[in-house]
Amino acid sequence: MELYSYFRSSASFRVRIALALKSLSYDYKTVHLVRNEQTGPDYAAVSPQRLVPLLQDGDARLTQSMAIIEYLDEVYPEPPLMPADPLGRARVRSLSQDIACEIHPLDNLRVLRYLVKELGASEDAKNAWYRHWVEVGLEVVERQLCDHPATGAFCHGDTPTMADCVLVPQIFNAQRFDCRLDHVPTVMRVFETCMQLPAFQAAQPSACPDADA
């Protein structure tokens, strides 16, 4: 397998966690987003979306982090990252989408660049935008976790699921931008539990080959 990734890409981070939890080896292919390598002809030939992550598994090319994670869970089922029951799977998808669909699009690098370059937002205004949507979005996740009996050591039960793969990168980003996190104690408890596991540690940005690029 080959994973096209960028160390600070939270979507790529999600997939790296899933691969690490399943002990799947892969070749790391750097796509430097800040240098706009994703828009160049070499990567465009691989990915029409010009986004990361992209996973090459044999002849298959897969995009979109949660689709990749569910693919990995179906093809390499141990350990499972989705619950066995339909309601459990729906809840894990819901938690994952609360972050990947409600928070992440608003603090994506493309959006932040547009705010500055096209709309003339200052650096302070851009960071205020970022912090607002992350803090509000994580409060929704906090309520989801607190209001459901299936919340255990992790987002759903006592083993990591796709929801944890999605949550952890968002917290890394929140910490990087100095977001307020004291209002989401359950979220942070789950995050800290995840970060005790070697798979989460091995997938974090500082452990990536391009971390110093």
Side-chain angles (χ1 to χ4, degrees):
M1 283 191 286
E2 295 178 341
L3 178 67
Y4 291 80
S5 175
Y6 179 59
F7 78 109
R8 276 187 177 155
S9 160
S10 58
S12 299
F13 191 177
R14 299 165 193 163
V15 175
R16 296 197 304 265
I17 294 169
L19 289 163
L21 285 168
K22 291 180 175 292
S23 300
L24 294 171
S25 60
Y26 59 94
D27 292 330
Y28 189 105
K29 303 289 187 180
T30 298
V31 181
H32 202 297
L33 302 185
V34 175
R35 296 176 188 163
N36 297 317
E37 290 180 358
Q38 72 277 17
T39 64
D42 291 343
Y43 190 59
V46 177
S47 173
Q49 291 177 309
R50 303 184 185 188
L51 301 172
V52 293
L54 181 145
L55 182 72
Q56 180 93 34
D57 188 13
D59 293 332
R61 287 180 179 173
L62 301 110
T63 59
Q64 291 296 338
S65 59
M66 291 194 294
I68 294 172
I69 293 171
E70 292 213 44
Y71 165 83
L72 292 172
D73 210 42
E74 293 174 6
V75 177
Y76 307 97
E78 295 299 329
L81 298 179
M82 296 293 288
D85 62 298
L87 285 176
R89 290 195 297 274
R91 180 170 185 260
V92 166
R93 291 185 180 112
S94 176
L95 286 165
S96 300
Q97 290 176 21
D98 277 335
I99 298 166
C101 301
E102 302 293 341
I103 303 175
H104 179 247
L106 292 166
D107 60 49
N108 188 276
L109 178 61
R110 292 177 297 164
V111 172
L112 299 181
R113 280 178 166 175
Y114 188 84
L115 288 173
V116 173
K117 293 182 178 180
E118 303 299 328
L119 300 183
S122 67
E123 191 71 11
D124 287 344
K126 179 197 75 173
N127 290 339
W129 163 282
Y130 185 103
R131 285 190 288 268
H132 170 77
W133 292 115
V134 170
E135 291 168 6
V136 169
L138 287 176
E139 190 171 4
V140 173
V141 178
E142 176 76 11
R143 292 197 298 270
Q144 287 264 57
L145 295 178
C146 290
D147 293 346
H148 202 286
T151 301
F154 297 92
C155 286
H156 188 88
D158 293 320
T159 57
T161 65
M162 179 170 69
D164 302 284
C165 297
V166 176
L167 174 67
V168 165
Q170 189 63 65
I171 299 303
F172 265 74
N173 284 351
Q175 291 174 330
R176 181 169 162 241
F177 279 83
D178 296 321
C179 295
R180 182 171 66 93
L181 294 168
D182 58 355
H183 66 309
V184 289
T186 309
V187 165
M188 294 309 297
R189 176 186 62 74
V190 171
F191 169 76
E192 289 161 7
T193 300
C194 289
M195 289 311 301
Q196 293 174 15
L197 298 183
F200 286 84
Q201 296 169 14
Q204 65 183 308
S206 62
C208 291
D210 56 335
D212 297 324

